[in-house]
């Protein structure tokens, strides 16, 4: 008779607390990575490259031309995300009234934020992070719009109407179409993004 030995169960992995994450993020601020804290786990992503930043600057010009009363903050402002404030994210762009973040800490409350923007990166975590986890986190905070510029398929997805931690309306169009940003009064002709396409 053969006896099969089962490995003893591993002790549960203790999740990183928000406070522990904030200490690590502050220490790593001078490195070449961006740190975020989603679903109880610390995530890293490389500092964006030039085309990524060029897309953000293109978006900034579009928003400021049509809504000079708003800022598209692309400076790495952090937001407390998810309904229990147990997450921390650094959206690529945050659309809010001018000076909305003046006097706020590194990790600001998302109240008053009109939209967040993410531009996909060329790393293996993009699908889980940008297309799934952040959509849930931003919806859970009732941020009205999540705009995702997806460089994998040259498309722009507008998530809107957050309800119960999900966006009820999701519209995805390829570069070259005009998109209305719900509740913001901005119309984006995404033809200009073609120069950054694959």
């Amino acid at each position: 008779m053969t006896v099969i030995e089962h490995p003893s169960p591993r002790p549960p992995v203790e999740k990183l607390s928000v406070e522990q994450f904030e200490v690590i993020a502050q220490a790593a601020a001078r490195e070449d990575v961006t740190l975020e804290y989603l679903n109880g786990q610390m995530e890293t992503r490389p500092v964006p490259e030039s085309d990524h930043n060029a897309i953000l600057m293109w978006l900034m010009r579009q928003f400021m031309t049509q809504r000079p009363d708003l800022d598209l903050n692309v400076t790495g402002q952090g937001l407390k995300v998810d309904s229990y404030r147990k997450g921390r994210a650094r959206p690529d762009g945050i659309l809010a009234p001018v000076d909305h973040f003046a006097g706020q800490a590194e990790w600001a409350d998302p109240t008053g934020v009109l939209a967040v923007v993410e531009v996909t990166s060329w790393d293996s975590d993009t699908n889980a992070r940008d297309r799934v986890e952040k959509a849930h986190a931003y919806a859970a905070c009732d941020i009205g719009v999540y705009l995702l510029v997806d460089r994998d398929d040259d498309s722009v997805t507008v998530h809107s109407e957050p309800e119960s931690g999900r966006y009820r309306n999701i519209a995805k169009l390829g570069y070259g179409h005009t998109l209305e940003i719900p509740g913001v009064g901005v119309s984006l002709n995404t033809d200009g993004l073609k120069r950054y396409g694959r």
Side-chain angles (χ1 to χ4, degrees):
M1 178 174 167
T2 304
V3 177
I4 299 174
E5 290 186 25
H6 295 287
S8 53
R10 293 187 322 188
V13 176
E14 195 171 313
K15 286 192 174 183
L16 191 66
S17 73
V18 172
E19 293 78 15
Q20 290 168 325
F21 166 76
E22 287 181 352
V23 169
I24 293 168
Q26 187 174 20
R30 295 173 294 277
E31 300 299 324
D32 292 336
V33 295
T34 298
L35 299 179
E36 295 178 311
Y37 184 70
L38 299 169
N39 297 323
Q41 295 182 355
M42 183 170 63
E43 298 183 8
T44 63
R45 62 182 172 150
V47 171
E49 91 293 339
S50 60
D51 280 352
H52 183 282
N53 292 335
I55 290 170
L56 289 171
M57 297 311 293
W58 180 86
L59 286 167
M60 182 188 296
R61 287 190 299 276
Q62 304 308 307
F63 281 106
M64 291 179 72
T65 299
Q66 297 176 53
R67 291 291 307 269
D69 58 319
L70 301 177
D71 280 339
L72 183 64
N73 185 314
V74 295
T75 62
Q77 172 66 53
L79 289 179
K80 297 176 183 177
V81 295
D82 83 34
S83 57
Y84 301 103
R85 302 295 185 257
K86 298 292 184 193
R88 301 290 184 268
R90 290 191 193 279
D92 290 328
I94 306 172
L95 188 68
V98 170
D99 289 335
H100 179 75
F101 293 107
Q104 292 205 39
E106 178 180 6
W107 303 102
D109 188 293
T111 303
V113 170
L114 302 174
V116 288
V117 175
E118 296 289 355
V119 177
T120 59
S121 300
W122 306 121
D123 62 51
S124 61
D125 294 335
T126 288
N127 187 58
R129 182 183 60 243
D130 293 335
R131 297 183 189 104
V132 179
E133 292 172 357
K134 286 194 173 182
H136 294 316
Y138 297 147
C141 295
D142 287 325
I143 294 173
V145 175
Y146 171 36
L147 182 69
L148 175 64
V149 178
D150 196 326
R151 297 190 295 164
D152 284 335
D153 64 1
D154 294 341
S155 69
V156 180
T157 304
V158 179
H159 302 75
S160 61
E161 299 178 28
E163 183 178 291
S164 303
R166 304 266 189 235
Y167 284 106
R168 292 179 50 219
N169 190 1
I170 300 172
K172 180 177 181 176
L173 293 170
Y175 292 173
H177 292 86
T178 299
L179 298 168
E180 301 296 325
I181 308 302
V184 177
V186 170
S187 178
L188 291 179
N189 180 345
T190 62
D191 201 55
L193 291 174
K194 288 180 179 179
R195 72 180 72 129
Y196 311 113
R198 285 190 145 185

